Amino acid sequence: MRRLRGRLIQPLLREQVLQKTDLVAPLFVDQTAHSQRPIASMPGQYRYPPGDVGKICQGLWDAGIRAVLLFGIPNEKDALASGAYDQEGVVQQAIRSVRKAVPGMVIITDVCACEYTDHGHCGIMGETRCGPDLLNDLSLDLMDRIAVSHALSGADIVAPSCMLDGVVQSIRQALDQEGYSDVAIMSYSTKFASALYGPFREAADSGFQFGDRTTYQVHPGNAREAIMESMLDLDEGADILMVKPAGFYLDILAEIRTLGIPVAAYQVSGEYAMIKAAAEKGWIREKDVVMESLTCIKRAGADLIITYFAHDVAGWLDEEQ
Ligand code: PBG
Ligand code: ZN
């Protein structure tokens, strides 16, 4: 084997090479912020005021990043997440300013309620046989409204992250009815109930006041259920599937890759924070670990990788050329 691993031949035979177009940069837009606010548990990441996102996206574009995923933190929250489908809401404003500043940027929006509900859950809550829980069918209408309002503001791809049964079909129908048959759906189709979302909940102010998300997200041990979740979303009309988190779930990613449509992997806030923290201590080399983690996510089958390292990676890829 070592004949082909010689220094001259080796680069010619590399199977997976990370490219800038593999990457999606998540961005937090905060309606209550007047200047950029650092996120303590995610060093290097910020919450941006809506007026800044155009400029931030210009920077990403100049670095070679071609897609962003927008999250919003609204002024006000309520039990029904009414801020989430407000045409003057934080994400709706952000979409318009990104489109204006960087017309070619692919704008993906997170479609969920947890940043907009006072209780912090991903939809409408109500009493069930097992106590208070997310009400599936009642929450679908809310997701339709959010997705349509994002489409109306100019989103290219909507990404429902609530893990409600039937949400992809419901949103597809709503978008088509309103004349947005060209807006794609990237479903967070296989989302695990992971402990790695901790920093995100600080970043997006979306931590729940009671309970947990285990009644709507998949248990980390359940592979069969995880694959079935993505198969159902494919049937319902998803254009892109997703596995989240990425690094611990590469076996699932490899299997979902075989379903036949593009698949995204989300390297989540906890994965980011772990790398950052160990690097800050000098225990690992940040760049090397990041490049390895992303290359392996690609090798497992991801067509797109959502990562908070996107901007850094774009810079590192330039250095290598
Ligand atoms: C909201 C949402 C979450 C993430 C993306 N969208 C958090 C959650 O489900 O609790 C996590 C992203 C990350 O940790 O980076 N539904
Ligand atoms: Zn949510």
Side-chain angles (χ1 to χ4, degrees):
M1 298 303 284
R2 295 199 50 219
R3 254 198 305 276
L4 299 183
R5 230 179 278 145
R7 299 213 181 274
L8 295 179
I9 300 177
Q10 193 190 119
L12 302 177
L13 299 178
R14 191 126 322 143
E15 294 178 49
Q16 295 296 345
V17 182
L18 206 59
Q19 293 179 319
K20 295 179 185 180
T21 49
D22 297 328
L23 306 175
V24 178
L27 287 181
F28 299 103
V29 191
D30 184 349
Q31 209 167 19
T32 71
H34 298 294
S35 56
Q36 66 176 52
R37 288 191 191 156
I39 300 163
S41 52
M42 301 175 73
Q45 298 298 308
Y46 300 86
R47 289 192 192 182
Y48 298 104
D52 280 13
V53 285
K55 188 182 66 196
I56 298 302
C57 286
Q58 185 66 56
L60 285 163
W61 179 267
D62 294 342
I65 299 299
R66 294 291 174 260
V68 291
L69 171 59
L70 301 179
F71 293 97
I73 297 113
N75 268 334
E76 280 175 45
K77 303 180 188 242
D78 59 32
L80 300 177
S82 42
Y85 51 85
D86 181 349
Q87 223 30 64
E88 294 309 314
V90 55
V91 166
Q92 290 79 359
Q93 281 180 37
I95 297 167
R96 293 192 293 263
S97 58
V98 175
R99 181 61 73 224
K100 199 165 157 209
V102 196
M105 188 66 96
V106 174
I107 302 174
I108 312 175
T109 58
D110 188 82
V111 173
C112 202
C114 52
E115 292 99 357
Y116 302 88
T117 51
D118 47 16
H119 46 67
H121 281 286
C122 299
I124 311 238
M125 298 297 281
E127 209 41 55
T128 72
R129 215 172 310 152
C130 312
D133 202 352
L134 193 62
L135 300 178
N136 195 88
D137 296 3
L138 267 179
S139 303
L140 291 177
D141 184 50
L142 171 60
M143 298 308 152
D144 294 352
R145 287 172 161 215
I146 300 174
V148 167
S149 83
H150 291 178
L152 176 59
S153 301
D156 299 292
I157 303 178
V158 293
S161 69
C162 50
M163 289 288 283
L164 293 169
D165 287 341
V167 71
V168 172
Q169 182 176 43
S170 182
I171 287 181
R172 184 70 273 158
Q173 240 171 28
L175 288 173
D176 290 352
Q177 241 165 37
E178 298 298 320
Y180 300 109
S181 54
D182 57 337
V183 171
I185 299 177
M186 175 168 81
S187 177
Y188 286 64
S189 53
T190 294
K191 182 171 174 184
F192 288 93
S194 172
L196 292 168
Y197 307 146
F200 174 92
R201 290 174 189 162
E202 181 207 324
D205 194 20
S206 67
F208 33 79
Q209 304 297 318
F210 58 88
D212 56 39
R213 300 215 208 286
T214 57
T215 64
Y216 41 107
Q217 301 176 352
V218 181
H219 188 278
N222 289 7
R224 195 171 41 201
E225 181 188 346
I227 307 302
M228 183 57 73
E229 280 284 2
S230 277
M231 285 169 57
L232 288 169
D233 285 9
L234 171 62
D235 270 0
E236 288 180 28
D239 300 287
I240 304 174
L241 300 171
M242 192 198 300
V243 177
K244 174 182 166 208
F248 290 178
Y249 298 94
L250 297 186
D251 56 332
I252 306 293
L253 178 57
E255 204 165 329
I256 289 177
R257 155 126 197 133
T258 67
L259 295 180
I261 65 170
V263 51
Y266 197 145
Q267 184 180 56
V268 302
S269 58
E271 299 177 88
Y272 177 84
M274 289 192 295
I275 294 175
K276 279 286 183 187
E280 271 180 15
K281 285 201 172 270
W283 293 344
I284 60 172
R285 300 221 330 226
E286 176 172 343
K287 175 183 165 186
D288 294 350
V289 174
V290 171
M291 294 305 282
E292 181 176 336
S293 70
L294 298 176
T295 302
C296 293
I297 292 167
K298 183 167 180 179
R299 187 204 63 223
D303 299 281
L304 280 176
I305 306 173
I306 302 157
T307 174
Y308 301 99
F309 290 111
H311 204 159
D312 295 331
V313 172
W316 295 331
L317 290 174
D318 287 338
E319 282 168 24
E320 272 167 25
Q321 276 150 17

